[in-house]
Amino acid sequence: MTSRIPRDSRLRLVRPRPLAAAPQAITQRRPRRAAPRPPEGTPARSELARMARAGLADAARVARWADAALGRGSATADGKATLSDATADRAARELGLTAAEVRADWDTARLAGLIEVHGDSARPGWRLRAWNRDDSAVLRGWVALFDAWSLAYPEPAGQEPAAVAEVVSAMPQLLSFLQLSAGPVPVAQLLDLLEQRVTELRTERCEVPYGPRLEPGTPQTPEAAAPAPDTTADTPLAPLLDWALHALASVGALTCGDGHATLTPLGSWAVWVKLEQICVAAQSPAGNIEQSAEDMLRGCARLRPNAARAEYRAWLAARPVGSAVAELIAAARGEDALLRGLAFDALRVVGAPAEPDVRAVVDEPTLRPYALLWLAEHDGADPEDAHEVLTRREATWLWVDTAAAVADHGEAPLLVRHLESAVQPTVPALLDEVRAVGHPRTVQVLVALAAAHPDPALAKAVRRAAFQVHTGGS
């Protein structure tokens, strides 16, 4: 006689390991691309970092003061990491500044990552710790400020929001023109280029006026046939170009004078870096630069991690951060579990600007485990330990979702090895909790695992669990 008690050691899992994204297939190694060299005349990185430190000296000073202040008590009010009046006045007295200057430097420090906002609190960023010894941290902080130029210098009051958005979307082309010109460019020429680019953006939208739907054969009145008035078409662009140039000058990206605009060495270097990222993607076999977020992620699915991150960076560099993040989250909401994991990998490349959107999806069951892991790593947790923020149920749900990605896109041995990442110590415990977690792909995952596993006893137990889920049994 044989016992029904599962004593076979082969039914016991190894010690739990941190959950990871679905394993990716390894493609053939491509020859390493030579590191591109910046244009002739570009200062060395150490000199660029010195310029960035000088430009952000006031923001770093306020951030260091806040570092000490946060240790002694709250420096914020209203739950939005905004300096309270008392703290701003105190900083102004101790630093010899006005309260308005303190607030401006505080906002600059936030945009540069010297101060990080997490939920309803603010704390010193890692870049502040490395400010005096790490040139890369300094340059990344300045580039973060450069990317947020439209936030660092708010637009004039009374401007049409749609027109402001069009100008912000058009500025990368103007900056590229400035960088390629390598010298002063007349503002009138930039205005002409801006008008052309805005016209292209409006044409690409191909907006169709929406009116009341008419039944076939019903005559259309002149009032109904007239398109809705376009308030952005009449918005003069010269004041908005003036705002954009002064905003970029305020972050140290360019200088304006005598009717001309000129990129600073820092601004020229930053634009060159972004153009190089775009060129890398355009030269890649997948050609992901022109793709939607979903198609871009599919194109990156079989790349090595470093190559995929390079594609993410290039794809992001070609788009406004806000719309890129929205596209990635929309792709994560789809049915393909592999794209869900890859989308959050791409959001890790985005970094701090993606935090509000990631926090906004924490309550969505499909995205919650991914969002919690992203936030834990963003808050400084070691990726190896980030899984500890998940509950047992969330970890099990993520295990099933990742297994679905492996089943759809991987090979059988990868699915078998995926058992090692489960938090449950034994297969019976894993199956019990997988049945209870309610993932929509549970049956398919269990059937695929049973078909792939070489152990007959384990495969039989998994098939039985799949049948019970399918029939609603216990």
Side-chain angles (χ1 to χ4, degrees):
M1 294 181 64
T2 59
S3 172
R4 294 182 179 271
I5 300 176
R7 295 173 302 187
D8 192 335
S9 62
R10 291 173 294 180
L11 294 183
R12 183 168 296 277
L13 299 179
V14 299
R15 188 173 62 84
R17 298 180 181 178
L19 285 165
Q24 300 176 359
I26 298 177
T27 58
Q28 293 182 351
R29 185 183 297 273
R30 294 195 296 269
R32 184 179 297 275
R33 183 176 183 266
R37 300 180 65 85
E40 186 176 355
T42 302
R45 286 178 64 87
S46 59
E47 178 63 15
L48 291 170
R50 186 195 65 78
M51 297 176 185
R53 284 189 180 93
L56 293 171
D58 293 338
R61 185 183 178 204
V62 169
R64 291 193 183 93
W65 181 91
D67 188 6
L70 286 169
R72 298 194 296 268
S74 176
T76 61
D78 76 7
K80 298 180 181 179
T82 302
L83 279 180
S84 63
D85 292 338
T87 304
D89 292 339
R90 178 173 143 212
R93 289 194 306 270
E94 296 184 12
L95 297 176
L97 303 171
T98 65
E101 290 172 333
V102 169
R103 292 187 183 281
D105 292 337
W106 170 269
D107 290 337
T108 299
R110 288 175 59 188
L111 293 174
L114 298 175
I115 296 171
E116 295 180 355
V117 179
H118 298 282
D120 59 354
S121 64
R123 69 186 186 200
W126 67 268
R127 287 175 186 151
L128 183 64
R129 307 294 189 206
W131 197 248
N132 293 327
R133 57 180 170 79
D134 190 338
D135 289 347
S136 294
V138 174
L139 291 173
R140 289 173 65 181
W142 187 86
V143 170
L145 176 64
F146 169 68
D147 288 339
W149 63 267
S150 60
L151 301 177
Y153 193 94
E155 71 274 8
Q159 293 292 336
E160 184 69 29
V164 173
E166 289 172 340
V167 171
V168 172
S169 298
M171 284 310 294
Q173 183 169 335
L174 272 67
L175 289 169
S176 300
F177 181 74
L178 281 166
Q179 200 275 336
L180 294 172
S181 299
V185 175
V187 173
Q189 188 174 1
L190 292 176
L191 178 59
D192 182 59
L193 182 60
L194 176 63
E195 290 172 345
Q196 294 179 36
R197 181 56 184 152
V198 168
T199 300
E200 291 173 358
L201 291 172
R202 292 171 180 170
T203 303
E204 290 171 2
R205 284 202 305 268
C206 191
E207 294 177 349
V208 178
Y210 290 92
R213 295 178 61 88
L214 300 177
E215 295 296 328
T218 304
Q220 191 175 31
T221 64
E223 292 78 6
D230 185 358
T231 57
T232 62
D234 299 328
T235 303
L237 295 180
L240 289 175
L241 175 62
D242 185 67
W243 158 69
L245 293 177
H246 281 84
L248 288 161
S250 72
V251 301
L254 54 78
T255 58
C256 295
D258 299 327
H260 289 73
T262 309
L263 285 179
T264 63
L266 268 174
S268 179
W269 169 80
V271 175
W272 171 79
V273 168
K274 293 185 178 297
L275 287 173
E276 178 62 23
Q277 290 173 345
I278 294 172
C279 290
V280 168
Q283 294 169 6
S284 70
N288 297 310
I289 189 67
E290 299 290 343
Q291 303 299 322
S292 66
E294 183 174 338
D295 291 338
M296 180 273 294
L297 294 172
R298 291 189 190 281
C300 294
R302 301 185 69 84
L303 296 178
R304 292 175 180 270
N306 286 340
R309 282 191 289 271
E311 295 281 318
Y312 301 151
R313 283 192 291 269
W315 186 86
L316 292 165
R319 291 161 175 77
V321 174
S323 61
V325 170
E327 272 196 69
L328 290 170
I329 289 181
R333 289 193 177 104
E335 297 182 358
D336 195 326
L338 177 62
L339 296 191
R340 199 155 23 250
L342 294 176
F344 277 87
D345 283 342
L347 289 171
R348 288 180 176 88
V349 174
V350 177
E355 182 182 3
D357 296 87
V358 174
R359 288 193 183 279
V361 302
V362 165
D363 293 330
E364 297 184 26
T366 304
L367 303 183
R368 179 176 175 79
Y370 294 94
L372 291 176
L373 289 176
W374 190 98
L375 291 169
E377 293 177 24
H378 179 66
D379 288 347
D382 190 308
E384 292 292 323
D385 301 326
H387 67 286
E388 295 177 0
V389 303
L390 302 179
T391 65
R392 182 76 163 244
R393 185 179 182 84
E394 291 164 351
T396 303
W397 195 100
L398 181 58
W399 184 91
V400 178
D401 203 52
T402 307
V406 177
D408 290 342
H409 301 278
E411 300 175 355
L414 298 180
L415 187 58
V416 174
R417 289 203 299 270
H418 185 57
L419 277 173
E420 299 176 0
S421 66
V423 296
Q424 292 79 7
T426 65
V427 170
L430 171 64
L431 296 179
D432 287 343
E433 296 187 32
V434 164
R435 285 198 297 265
V437 80
H439 193 288
R441 296 290 305 280
T442 298
V443 173
Q444 294 93 326
V445 165
L446 293 178
V447 169
L449 180 59
H453 207 284
D455 187 318
L458 189 146
K460 182 177 180 180
V462 174
R463 278 195 298 272
R464 184 184 303 114
F467 179 76
Q468 290 171 344
V469 174
H470 178 66
T471 60
S474 59

